[in-house]
Amino acid sequence: MESLSPNIFVNDMKATVAFYKLLGFEVTMSVPEAGEELVWAMMTSGKVTMMFQTYASLADELPEIKRTDGGSLLLYINVNDINGLFDRIKDSVKVLKGLEKTFYGATEFSILDNNGYVLTFAQHQ
């Protein structure tokens, strides 16, 4: 195995792309390749790659994918400048847990994305 790129299902692709751009991600691939009505998008920031896809785009092919919002999922993302990222986004996102030092030596904070998923950002010293 070499990498893991989650494909996260969303209701509002436009809002999702805008939210993750706020976090520093850029769209690297999409379906369709141009336009604003995307059904799938790959976004990257540094070495982190995430994919987002509308529920409707796979409703017939994979009816098992039927959640309507969020999920029992926490994405743990390592970063280099935890304080800078927190300061840049804290007033534009829903912060669930502010900056704190953990017993295992990481500095972390957690936010809720626009689809109900929890994102925890961490910097290990």
Side-chain angles (χ1 to χ4, degrees):
M1 294 184 209
E2 295 181 15
S3 67
L4 172 68
S5 302
N7 190 18
I8 298 173
F9 290 89
V10 303
N11 288 312
D12 187 337
M13 184 66 78
K14 187 182 280 188
T16 298
V17 168
F19 183 89
Y20 280 83
K21 282 184 176 179
L22 173 75
L23 300 180
F25 284 80
E26 295 180 14
V27 175
T28 54
M29 294 175 66
S30 66
V31 175
E33 290 183 31
E36 293 192 19
E37 298 303 318
L38 304 179
V39 297
W40 178 86
M42 178 184 287
M43 300 184 77
T44 60
S45 179
K47 294 180 180 179
V48 176
T49 298
M50 296 177 64
M51 297 178 287
F52 302 98
Q53 187 162 357
T54 62
Y55 288 99
S57 68
L58 282 179
D60 294 334
E61 193 175 330
L62 290 172
E64 295 81 8
I65 299 170
K66 57 188 169 212
R67 287 201 56 89
T68 57
D69 199 21
S72 298
L73 174 70
L74 182 149
L75 297 171
Y76 192 84
I77 304 168
N78 287 306
V79 299
N80 292 323
D81 181 11
I82 192 86
N83 293 312
L85 177 62
F86 184 76
D87 288 342
R88 186 168 56 80
I89 68 171
K90 67 181 178 184
D91 296 326
S92 303
V93 300
K94 182 173 183 174
V95 176
L96 300 175
K97 280 182 23 181
L99 282 169
E100 62 181 46
K101 186 83 168 181
T102 67
F103 71 91
Y104 45 89
T107 301
E108 301 177 348
F109 71 92
S110 297
I111 66 170
L112 192 66
D113 86 350
N114 65 304
N115 299 291
Y117 294 106
V118 176
L119 307 177
T120 296
F121 296 92
Q123 183 172 3
H124 296 264
Q125 280 75 20

